[in-house]
Amino acid sequence: MSTPRIRFRPFRLALWVLVLAGGGAAIVRYLYGLGAVSNLSDRFPWGLWIGFDVMSGVALAAGGFTIAAAVHVFKLHRYHALLRPAVLTGFLGYLLVIAALLVDLGRPWNIWHPVVMWNPHSVMFEVAWCVMLYTLVLALEFGQVILQRFRLWTFLRVTQLALPPLVIAGVLLSTLHQSSLGSLFLIVPEKLHPLWYTSLLPILFFISAVAVGLAMVTVEATLAARAFRHRVDISLFTDLGRASAVVLSLYLGVKVVDLVTRQAVGLVFAGGIESVMFLVEVVGGVVLPLVLLAIPGVARSLGGLAAASWLVVGGVVLNRLNVAITGMLAGSGAHYVPAWTEVLITAAIVSGGILAYIYIVERLPILEHAEEPAPTSTAALHMPEAAP
């Protein structure tokens, strides 16, 4: 299998500049503490790094377990071409989440404590163990690619026997910690705004993680197709769009029923920053993608599917930021706007993930090219070359 090369040298250079600048800010954080680079405080300790880097990062990495479950558990081998990119994205996503935690924790050198200091009654303990174990599962799944690259066929055949139980373990672990991230906020009913606080938060977090996992597979594939001049099979992403529409409909239905039963519908139109952010999140990240995916011409075009998927990704990211920041500000009585160094470190972590993805895709058999289409076929589209 050929290994494509990306042509965006200025783009790659910009990513390296962000990584180096963010690395410098991280050094300042370790030398002088969190207060030197962030606007976090004892009254408001969870800001951009938890809301975006950790909570959004875990959700965006959900494509790994959704596609692995489809291929290995439900035997939908037609989607095998999507498996390796999804696993790679998930693996890198969880490594970036761990990197962000090492920056955010007040005493990062104690991150290993949950391994030996058990507190099974703590939701954070469950999340820590699930993230550790699922990262290990993703590493073992990704190891298949390395064994194939170096032609270690005997090891590859042996490890393939362990894949089904590994995938099932990964699905269970993902279900647990995706929902548990929502459970973390069940202990702050007096602080989290009623537009987001509900006993259904764990269910809503899990459903939205499945939706954004499917959307991220499409977003990643369309970006990789353009960057690496990689041919993709549009019919696969049409199927993902249909599945995403079903999951989004379920999410929207649960959300509406929850608001009605809690008599919180009036808060949606009450005005204020919370109402505005809630409407942007739900209308832009749920309703509009559903409308786009219901239009046949949009649902059968790669550009239309990519646009709908980007909206879903933006909606879930905004949901996590609203739960962690927007919905908590009034209840905590604090004022918080991320410092520019917080944004810089976040940009550096994301840039590092993109650089790692490019490096791996250029050297390992990650992308599977779709077959050449027949002259009259519209089943596949060769993406145009990226601008140098």
Side-chain angles (χ1 to χ4, degrees), residues 13-329:
L13 178 62
L15 293 175
W16 273 113
V17 170
L18 285 173
V19 169
L20 293 175
I27 291 174
V28 174
R29 174 259 175 270
Y30 287 117
L31 289 176
Y32 301 103
L34 287 169
V37 296
S38 77
N39 286 334
L40 299 173
S41 63
D42 291 340
R43 187 180 289 272
F44 203 86
W46 285 6
L48 178 67
W49 293 332
I50 293 297
F52 181 82
D53 298 14
V54 176
M55 292 171 59
S56 299
V58 167
L60 296 179
F65 89 86
T66 53
I67 299 299
V71 173
H72 292 299
V73 178
F74 298 106
K75 305 300 181 185
L76 301 175
H77 298 295
R78 165 175 151 75
Y79 302 101
H80 190 275
L82 306 177
L83 180 59
R84 287 183 173 179
V87 169
L88 172 60
T89 304
F91 183 42
L92 290 175
Y94 275 82
L95 292 180
L96 297 180
V97 166
I98 294 172
L101 275 176
L102 288 171
V103 175
D104 183 79
L105 290 175
R107 297 178 178 178
W109 51 88
N110 290 336
I111 195 171
W112 57 275
H113 277 190
V115 177
V116 295
M117 299 179 181
W118 285 40
N119 182 7
H121 300 293
S122 167
V123 175
M124 293 187 74
F125 174 79
E126 178 200 331
V127 171
W129 264 96
C130 285
V131 169
M132 284 190 291
L133 292 176
Y134 186 53
T135 305
L136 177 62
V137 168
L138 285 170
L140 294 173
E141 288 184 60
F142 180 67
Q144 301 279 308
V145 181
I146 298 175
L147 292 175
Q148 179 183 341
R149 171 64 179 80
F150 293 102
R151 301 177 182 276
L152 301 172
W153 306 119
T154 302
F155 285 109
L156 183 62
R157 283 192 290 272
V158 171
T159 55
Q160 281 177 341
L161 296 176
L163 266 184
L166 275 178
V167 171
I168 293 173
V171 172
L172 292 175
L173 290 167
S174 294
T175 303
L176 285 172
H177 72 264
Q178 293 284 1
S179 57
S180 294
L181 284 173
S183 302
L184 287 173
F185 292 87
L186 293 181
I187 62 174
V188 289
E190 73 285 356
K191 288 187 177 179
L192 184 57
H193 194 279
L195 281 173
W196 292 283
Y197 183 84
T198 166
S199 59
L200 299 182
L201 258 179
I203 296 174
L204 290 170
F205 263 50
F206 176 72
I207 298 175
S208 58
V210 174
V212 79
L214 295 169
M216 270 302 292
V217 173
T218 300
V219 167
E220 175 214 343
T222 51
L223 291 177
R226 186 172 294 277
F228 296 104
R229 292 170 294 154
H230 166 62
R231 186 182 300 280
V232 297
D233 184 348
I234 294 180
S235 65
L236 296 179
F237 301 101
T238 300
D239 292 347
L240 290 185
R242 290 175 183 148
S244 186
V246 172
V247 179
L248 282 175
S249 300
L250 175 63
Y251 177 81
L252 183 61
V254 173
K255 196 122 186 160
V256 171
V257 170
D258 175 64
L259 286 171
V260 171
T261 54
R262 290 190 297 111
Q263 300 180 342
V265 176
L267 296 173
V268 177
F269 309 102
I273 185 65
E274 290 87 359
S275 298
V276 172
M277 296 301 287
F278 183 85
L279 284 170
V280 172
E281 169 197 325
V282 175
V283 175
V286 182
V287 177
L288 188 54
L290 279 174
V291 172
L292 289 176
L293 292 171
I295 301 173
V298 174
R300 295 195 187 97
S301 73
L302 199 57
L305 290 166
S309 299
W310 271 109
L311 286 170
V312 175
V313 169
V316 172
V317 169
L318 187 56
N319 170 261
R320 300 310 192 255
L321 290 173
N322 282 338
V323 171
I325 300 176
T326 310
M328 296 286 288
L329 277 173

Side-chain angles (χ1 to χ4, degrees), residues 1-9 11-12 16 88 92 142 145 149 224 227-229 354-367:
M1 181 180 294
S2 61
T3 50
R5 295 278 174 174
I6 194 169
R7 288 186 170 188
F8 290 171
R9 290 188 177 178
F11 176 65
R12 198 184 315 228
W16 273 113
L88 172 60
L92 290 175
F142 180 67
V145 181
R149 171 64 179 80
F228 296 104
R229 292 170 294 154
I354 296 172
L355 285 170
Y357 181 92
I358 293 171
Y359 180 87
I360 292 171
V361 169
E362 287 181 342
R363 288 161 178 80
L364 294 175
I366 300 295
L367 303 178

Side-chain angles (χ1 to χ4, degrees), residues 225 229-233 368-373 380-383:
R229 292 170 294 154
H230 166 62
R231 186 182 300 280
V232 297
D233 184 348
E368 294 182 21
H369 293 275
E371 298 293 331
E372 289 285 343
L381 173 68
H382 192 179
M383 298 297 295

